[in-house]
Amino acid sequence: MNEKINTFLSSGLLDKYLLGETTSEETEMVESYISRYPEIENEYNTMQHNLEVVAKASAVEAPKSILNTILEELDDAPVVKLNAPKRYKKWYKFSIAASVAALIFAGSSAYFYNQNKKLQNDTIIVDAEIDDLRSDIAQNNAMLDKVMRQLLKLNNPETEKYIIKGNERAKDLKTVAYINPKEKTSMIDVVSLPELPEEQCYQIWAELQGKMVNLGILDKADRQLRNIPYMEDALALSITIEPKGGNTIASTKNSVAQISLQ
């Protein structure tokens, strides 16, 4: 890999491009490099895959539509049309017109008072919705920060990826472990777990100095990238079927998946 490619990959522009934070000039530059250099294209495809993996951890429900609520409230607002009073040709009609005008004025005052109260209530509701939206934005920003941190871990050159597949007893089992021996971090992504009876569960272990160390329970309902304890000098990772709630000692006879880390 030549120095020009190394310099580009170290610049962090690929990360910015993936997140849509590049300027138009930077975007043009990144796309040019991707099309010209297979090494950069491969790195870009890998980072895209990693971003998809990390994004599963941020699967949150979208916030309520505030815009639709506001538009609906505005659509309900009355449109009042004021017609110009007619002129009467004869003077004795003035008194009748004055009486009618007084009645209209009294009715209009009550109407506009009620509309003003309704508008005040609607304003309070909209303000509450806006506060909820701000809270959702803050939560989403925090989630995005978490995703960014996980993405950086996955894209770290020191991070090693291990795909763990099930044996004949659990053919559809698949998990992916990400281990960084330099930063001493471990993460696991549960891709698929076959169904088990209610009284059983899957448990992951690290083989270390002739013994099996518990790293936690794998739950089908918890399909997301999550941290697991890092075990330095671990020789292998194993997944076994254990009683519900987990076990303190690995049931090696019930092993359904194993991968060497050496």
Side-chain angles (χ1 to χ4, degrees):
M1 190 179 295
N2 62 43
E3 183 178 352
K4 187 174 184 179
I5 295 176
N6 280 329
T7 300
F8 176 81
L9 293 176
S10 301
S11 68
L13 282 175
L14 267 182
D15 294 87
K16 290 178 63 180
Y17 179 73
L18 274 171
L19 298 173
E21 296 178 351
T22 51
T23 63
S24 57
E25 292 80 5
E26 289 174 337
T27 299
E28 183 177 350
M29 176 183 176
V30 171
E31 292 176 349
S32 173
Y33 271 71
I34 292 175
S35 62
R36 289 167 55 193
Y37 300 103
E39 297 93 333
I40 294 177
E41 182 181 10
N42 291 337
E43 180 66 16
Y44 171 68
N45 291 334
T46 299
M47 292 173 68
Q48 269 193 318
H49 171 73
N50 289 342
L51 182 59
E52 291 174 1
V53 171
V54 174
K56 293 197 302 182
S58 341
V60 293
E61 186 177 352
K64 298 177 181 178
S65 174
I66 302 304
L67 178 59
N68 288 338
T69 301
I70 295 174
L71 290 178
E72 288 174 3
E73 294 296 338
L74 291 178
D75 287 341
D76 292 337
V79 178
V80 180
K81 183 177 180 181
L82 300 178
N83 295 319
K86 296 180 179 180
R87 289 188 175 182
Y88 293 92
K89 296 180 179 180
K90 296 183 179 181
W91 64 271
Y92 58 84
K93 293 183 178 179
F94 289 167
S95 60
I96 299 176
S99 299
V100 172
L103 291 174
I104 292 176
F105 177 77
S108 298
S109 298
Y111 175 78
F112 283 116
Y113 173 79
N114 291 332
Q115 289 301 315
N116 183 57
K117 293 293 291 183
K118 182 177 182 298
L119 181 59
Q120 290 178 354
N121 292 334
D122 291 343
T123 301
I124 293 174
I125 294 174
V126 171
D127 287 343
E129 295 283 358
I130 292 175
D131 288 339
D132 289 341
L133 179 60
R134 287 172 179 165
S135 177
D136 290 338
I137 290 174
Q139 292 177 6
N140 289 339
N141 286 339
M143 186 65 70
L144 178 60
D145 181 68
K146 179 182 177 181
V147 170
M148 277 294 301
R149 293 178 184 276
Q150 290 181 329
L151 180 61
L152 289 175
K153 288 182 180 179
L154 293 190
N155 290 334
N156 190 317
E158 299 293 335
T159 299
E160 299 176 8
K161 177 180 177 181
Y162 299 92
I163 298 176
I164 309 172
K165 295 184 178 180
N167 56 23
E168 291 297 321
R169 299 186 60 183
K171 293 182 179 180
D172 295 332
L173 185 149
K174 183 179 180 181
T175 61
V176 183
Y178 300 90
I179 300 177
N180 188 319
K182 185 175 181 180
E183 295 186 359
K184 301 186 185 303
T185 59
S186 298
M187 295 184 293
I188 192 165
D189 176 32
V190 177
V191 180
S192 62
L193 289 175
E195 292 284 350
L196 282 176
E198 187 177 349
E199 67 274 9
Q200 293 179 331
C201 69
Y202 292 102
Q203 195 165 350
I204 185 168
W205 308 82
E207 183 181 338
L208 182 67
Q209 297 177 352
K211 64 178 181 179
M212 304 295 284
V213 180
N214 175 29
L215 298 183
I217 295 174
L218 300 180
D219 190 349
K220 185 177 180 180
D222 190 28
R223 289 183 179 176
Q224 61 180 2
L225 190 68
R226 63 183 180 89
N227 294 323
I228 58 175
Y230 173 79
M231 292 293 154
E232 193 166 6
D233 299 327
L235 301 177
L237 292 177
S238 297
I239 298 176
T240 62
I241 297 177
E242 304 292 346
K244 184 177 181 180
N247 211 342
T248 56
I249 300 176
S251 303
T252 54
K253 65 179 181 179
N254 291 332
S255 176
V256 293
Q258 186 173 13
I259 189 170
S260 174
L261 302 180
Q262 300 299 316

